[in-house]
């Protein structure tokens, strides 16, 4: 169940022919970026607006400094880009998303397949 606090990738990437990237007819889907991939991962709990405690974080700029407004604009622009944060997996040798929703397996079958 996706967490409503995050925004996820809406469509899986496809190639020029409309086939999902990394799809293999024998093994199925293998592309790591799917609908569980989180766009704009959450900030650290120290920085995040909902959990930040200003008493614990040192002030970078004195109150009234114009740099505060400029930093807020840059942060807003960065979040509007809707980026997927990735890293290169040393074994797969491909880009893998750093933040994804947890996958708990397929739902349990309650009866024998018909």
């Amino acid at each position: 169940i996706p967490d409503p606090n995050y925004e996820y990738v809406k469509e899986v990437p496809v190639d020029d022919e409309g086939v999902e990237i990394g799809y293999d007819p024998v093994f199925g889907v293998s592309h790591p970026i799917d609908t569980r991939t989180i766009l704009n991962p959450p900030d650290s709990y120290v920085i995040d607006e909902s959990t930040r405690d200003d008493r614990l974080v040192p002030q970078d700029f004195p109150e009234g400094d114009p740099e505060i407004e400029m930093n807020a604009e840059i942060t807003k622009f960065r979040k509007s880009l809707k980026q997927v944060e990735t890293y290169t997996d040393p074994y797969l040798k491909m880009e893998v998303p750093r933040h994804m929703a947890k996958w708990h397996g397929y739902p349990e079958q309650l009866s024998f397949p018909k």
Side-chain angles (χ1 to χ4, degrees):
I1 301 174
D3 187 342
N5 296 329
Y6 303 130
E7 184 177 355
Y8 298 93
V9 171
K10 302 228 184 305
E11 295 180 1
V12 179
V14 294
D15 61 10
D16 297 337
E17 298 173 355
V19 178
E20 187 174 329
I21 294 175
Y23 178 80
D24 185 296
V26 175
F27 299 109
V29 180
S30 67
H31 196 271
I33 296 178
D34 59 10
T35 55
R36 296 177 299 133
T37 304
I38 296 174
L39 293 172
N40 287 341
D43 290 323
S44 165
Y45 72 93
V46 177
I47 302 171
D48 192 9
E49 293 289 332
S50 61
T51 57
R52 179 173 65 197
D53 185 357
D54 289 330
R55 296 174 297 133
L56 302 175
V57 180
Q59 295 294 325
D60 292 332
F61 307 103
E63 288 187 35
D65 193 332
E67 192 87 18
I68 295 172
E69 290 179 22
M70 286 188 272
N71 283 343
E73 288 177 17
I74 291 170
T75 302
K76 182 178 176 185
F77 173 72
R78 179 180 55 84
K79 289 188 179 276
S80 73
L81 294 177
K82 303 201 183 293
Q83 296 177 331
V84 174
E85 189 176 320
T86 61
Y87 68 97
T88 303
D89 188 281
Y91 300 103
L92 296 175
K93 305 276 193 277
M94 65 187 307
E95 294 286 316
V96 177
R98 191 173 298 276
H99 302 280
M100 296 190 70
K102 297 237 182 288
W103 186 72
H104 299 286
Y106 295 109
E108 182 178 351
Q109 292 183 348
L110 301 176
S111 65
F112 190 74
K114 298 177 182 172

